[in-house]
Amino acid sequence: MLKRAPLLLHAALFLLTGRDACADLVVVANPKSGIERLKRQEVIYLFMGRWRQLPSGTEAHPVDLGNDSTERAEFYRQLVNKEPSEIKAYWSRLVFSGGSRPPYTAESREELIRLISSMPGAIGYIERSQVDSRLRIVFELSGSP
Amino acid sequence: MPSLIDRFRKQDRKREQSGTFLALLAVLFSLSGPAQAEGESEIADKRFEFGGFGTLGVAQTDSNDAQFIRDQSQAKGIGKTPSAKLDSLLGLQVYFRATDSLELVTQAITRYGPQGNFQPDISWAFAKYALIPNNLTLRVGRMGTEFYMLADSRHVGYSYLTVRPPVDFFGELAFHYVDGFDLVGTLPVGDGVLKLKTFAGQSNEVAPIGKEIFSLRRNPMYGAYLDYQQGNWQWRATYAQMTFKHDLPAPVSSLQEQLAAVGASTAARAIALTNTTSRFYSAGGVYDRGPLQVQAMLSYTAHESHIYQNTKAGYLIGGYRLGEFTPFLGYSWSKSKSKELSSGLPDIPFHDLNVALAGALARVHTDQHTWSLGTRWDFRRNMALKAQVDMIRGKPESIFLYPTSTPKFDGKLNVFSLALDFVF
């Protein structure tokens, strides 16, 4: 039941907004991260600051793309069905109550790729077409449980 | 631990020392900081961050028979005249990442508070040290109180749906921060994340009582919570307590003296606060899934002193996002139980004293519920506009949450609010 929920949400989002929610985003990690795949729940925990450790035990460093990037808005829509304002509200609560901090924001896709390829614990999201051998796909947003 | 608390007592007397203390901590911990990998240092390079939050709010009620306040820390409430003092505030935060394990945070806030003005206050100044990365974190300094779930972010309007946290629930609190330390353990359990937090310290705030100031300074505070977050759910059970080190100011203090002077020492002792403890129990749950958010909380507060009444309170708020708008509906209530206390003095010649005692006990009674209806509008980045109507329905004797009310007050109050929340 839980596993099917994201698919249903995804379908609902598409039907409700007519927005092309199918931008083909993937979550990528360093090939030396020690992880092959992540579950949706694990990706949510890492990016929402609930748990900052990869299943391999490596300290996780989630990396966001800039506020203006379409990938960022689309990533959180597909991951948790939240709009950028809701994600900001979520982090405002944590930041201004002394809780965990939001992911580091990369200035560009190039910086994101560079960070992930140089840090075993870095994790980010990117269009599938931009993935190269320096990155390992650990989660696919479209249709992944 | 006494040595730690002693250290903070000194800090209270000499505020300027706190900067030195934190800087010293920073130096100590930076010496033990681990060597960083190449990419890591790049992320860690972002050492300083400035940020802030604020609310410009206007609210009014439909009655001048009782003044509506946001919580017990506000000196005066609002009536039929639109007022910006209830909800408007501004907070600034400086964040410094000293090492991978050590963060320093200072936050100042200006809002309408106990002194009846917008005098700024350092709401937080703490060092946060990861004893075991991801698993165990120690914070030392001044931190927000988490007497209830979400209580430490109740000034950050942008972070929640309503104009203000439900007053039936959060309104009884007069304190916002604690000087001391907390320890947070985090552990993945099952599909979720389990968190256990304990804190200890002392209050250094004051609360207004009529025209007087009620000191909470050096009141010891302790507490703990257990939190479990799994999927769309978050659950939390909290216990916290405060022991008073001061009695209430006039008119209660003079009542105490008068009672003691005529031999009613049992009653005088019963309404004293010094060395009595108040205990706060609460449990809450949040369900957050895509456009839907629902949160509910229950609390029970028990006071050893007869000058406060034991209170049960709760609330339920649900909201659903529709495009840029998130309409919400809330229901909250609070009900306290009157405590029986007689002076034991004959009504002749002590009629006035008996009336004063009964009045002091009645002042803290609450028995009301509130329907809240409104919407949040995320009209542009980092800004939200909110409109809300609260319909408070209570017994005429439900006056604890209003610092002043006239005998004409019938327990009914409608509150109309507009707020612009922002973060930067």
Side-chain angles (χ1 to χ4, degrees):
Chain A
M1 184 62 204
L2 267 177
K3 291 197 169 177
R4 239 180 301 149
L7 267 179
L8 288 174
L9 281 178
H10 199 155
L13 179 74
F14 186 80
L15 287 173
L16 277 174
T17 62
R19 184 191 287 124
D20 179 15
C22 294
D24 198 4
L25 290 172
V26 290
V27 174
V28 289
N30 186 301
K32 286 189 223 128
S33 59
I35 49 168
E36 297 289 332
R37 301 294 290 173
L38 287 176
K39 293 183 196 137
R40 177 176 290 267
Q41 195 66 260
E42 290 168 339
V43 177
I44 293 174
Y45 284 1
L46 291 171
F47 277 89
M48 302 305 272
R50 295 187 194 171
W51 185 246
R52 289 262 166 86
Q53 199 173 21
L54 298 178
S56 58
T58 308
E59 170 100 19
H61 293 278
V63 181
D64 258 331
L65 279 170
N67 266 319
D68 294 316
S69 70
T70 51
E71 287 98 325
R72 180 162 169 163
E74 205 49 54
F75 173 69
Y76 287 103
R77 279 186 195 120
Q78 292 188 22
L79 188 69
V80 288
N81 190 12
K82 293 279 185 193
E83 290 300 307
S85 59
E86 293 173 294
I87 299 294
K88 184 73 184 180
Y90 173 86
W91 282 113
S92 299
R93 179 170 68 76
L94 291 176
V95 164
F96 295 119
S97 61
S100 58
R101 313 288 297 187
Y104 173 81
T105 300
E107 276 163 22
S108 62
R109 292 171 192 89
E110 291 69 36
E111 194 200 354
L112 180 123
I113 293 172
R114 193 164 47 75
L115 284 171
I116 294 176
S117 55
S118 64
M119 284 173 68
I123 177 165
Y125 46 85
I126 199 164
E127 282 274 350
R128 187 192 295 272
S129 59
Q130 292 175 315
V131 177
D132 60 31
S133 62
R134 291 173 293 169
L135 310 170
R136 173 183 289 168
I137 297 176
V138 292
F139 181 73
E140 291 163 66
L141 280 140
S142 326
S144 288
Chain B
M1 282 315 133
S3 65
L4 194 67
I5 289 167
D6 282 339
R7 198 182 278 171
F8 279 94
R9 279 190 189 136
K10 279 181 205 144
Q11 190 188 342
D12 178 53
R13 284 184 211 120
K14 295 179 183 173
R15 282 269 164 79
E16 68 271 22
Q17 278 186 353
S18 68
T20 326
F21 173 59
L22 291 182
L24 189 68
L25 266 179
V27 171
L28 280 176
F29 287 128
S30 65
L31 292 174
S32 61
Q36 289 160 343
E38 181 201 336
E40 236 132 316
S41 62
E42 208 165 328
I43 284 184
D45 265 350
K46 208 178 172 191
R47 280 166 178 263
F48 267 110
E49 281 175 48
F50 296 89
F53 56 91
T55 300
L56 282 169
V58 180
Q60 70 179 97
T61 73
D62 61 352
S63 167
N64 282 334
D65 294 335
Q67 292 192 342
F68 182 69
I69 51 167
R70 195 173 155 120
D71 66 37
Q72 296 287 328
S73 71
Q74 293 188 326
K76 281 184 191 151
I78 61 160
K80 274 173 145 175
T81 313
S83 170
K85 72 183 180 191
L86 190 73
D87 299 309
S88 298
L89 57 87
L90 182 69
L92 292 172
Q93 185 186 87
V94 183
Y95 167 86
F96 176 61
R97 190 183 146 109
T99 72
D100 270 1
S101 312
L102 179 72
E103 300 159 294
L104 306 173
V105 179
T106 302
Q107 191 164 297
I109 187 164
T110 169
R111 63 186 182 89
Y112 180 76
Q115 319 284 353
N117 56 28
F118 278 81
Q119 188 184 312
D121 202 1
I122 298 291
S123 49
W124 304 335
F126 62 81
K128 181 177 177 181
Y129 186 69
L131 295 168
I132 306 171
N134 269 313
N135 286 117
L136 195 60
T137 309
L138 172 73
R139 297 196 300 177
V140 180
R142 173 171 292 181
M143 279 103 32
T145 54
E146 283 188 286
F147 269 47
Y148 303 134
M149 187 179 185
L150 308 177
D152 58 345
S153 53
R154 64 193 193 271
H155 296 308
V156 190
Y158 187 82
S159 73
Y160 46 81
L161 285 182
T162 50
V163 168
R164 67 190 77 82
V167 172
D168 287 338
F169 194 85
F170 291 93
E172 68 165 341
L173 295 183
F175 28 90
H176 301 82
Y177 52 75
V178 51
D179 290 345
F181 71 93
D182 63 28
L183 202 56
V184 181
T186 312
L187 204 66
V189 172
D191 240 6
V193 178
L194 186 76
K195 219 183 224 185
L196 175 68
K197 170 165 160 172
T198 56
F199 74 88
Q202 59 182 35
S203 170
N204 271 313
E205 289 178 272
V206 296
I209 305 274
K211 289 192 176 77
E212 306 289 328
I213 289 291
F214 171 38
S215 176
L216 302 168
R217 289 181 198 280
R218 286 173 284 289
N219 285 0
M221 297 157 88
Y222 304 95
Y225 71 63
L226 192 65
D227 180 291
Y228 188 62
Q229 226 174 352
Q230 193 270 325
N232 303 107
W233 292 94
Q234 183 181 7
W235 300 99
R236 187 181 292 185
T238 308
Y239 170 76
Q241 68 169 63
M242 175 185 263
T243 302
F244 293 91
K245 288 292 163 200
H246 309 270
D247 278 325
L248 283 163
V252 175
S253 59
S254 46
L255 179 63
Q256 259 173 272
E257 284 163 22
Q258 288 171 44
L259 285 167
V262 296
S265 52
T266 309
R269 267 200 308 276
I271 61 168
L273 262 185
T274 302
N275 293 329
T276 69
T277 297
S278 294
R279 298 182 169 83
F280 303 76
Y281 307 84
S282 68
V286 174
Y287 181 76
D288 191 330
R289 180 166 168 178
L292 175 69
Q293 333 178 11
V294 181
Q295 52 174 276
M297 250 184 266
L298 289 170
S299 73
Y300 177 65
T301 310
H303 304 278
E304 286 177 357
S305 170
H306 275 64
I307 203 62
Y308 284 119
Q309 298 185 357
N310 297 352
T311 306
K312 287 176 186 165
Y315 76 83
L316 178 71
I317 295 173
Y320 195 90
R321 185 190 75 230
L322 300 162
E324 291 178 343
F325 292 91
T326 311
F328 56 84
L329 180 66
Y331 178 77
S332 59
W333 72 93
S334 74
K335 188 170 171 34
S336 69
K337 198 167 174 225
S338 303
K339 285 182 177 167
E340 298 297 325
L341 179 67
S342 156
S343 69
L345 298 168
D347 222 28
I348 300 168
F350 296 110
H351 177 75
D352 289 353
L353 199 50
N354 285 338
V355 167
L357 177 61
L361 297 173
R363 251 342 294 173
V364 291
H365 188 66
T366 176
D367 185 359
Q368 61 186 44
H369 65 266
T370 305
W371 284 99
S372 302
L373 179 69
T375 188
R376 171 181 172 129
W377 178 25
D378 284 284
F379 68 107
R380 59 173 292 177
R381 178 181 290 173
N382 296 347
M383 281 190 181
L385 201 59
K386 296 170 183 173
Q388 180 174 329
V389 180
D390 299 282
M391 285 157 286
I392 303 170
R393 298 293 176 267
K395 299 265 171 62
E397 58 274 17
S398 178
I399 51 175
F400 175 53
L401 294 171
Y402 316 106
T404 53
S405 56
T406 69
K408 280 197 301 182
F409 180 56
D410 63 0
K412 282 184 202 158
L413 205 55
N414 296 312
V415 187
F416 309 94
S417 318
L418 271 178
L420 173 71
D421 291 310
F422 54 91
V423 287
F424 52 93

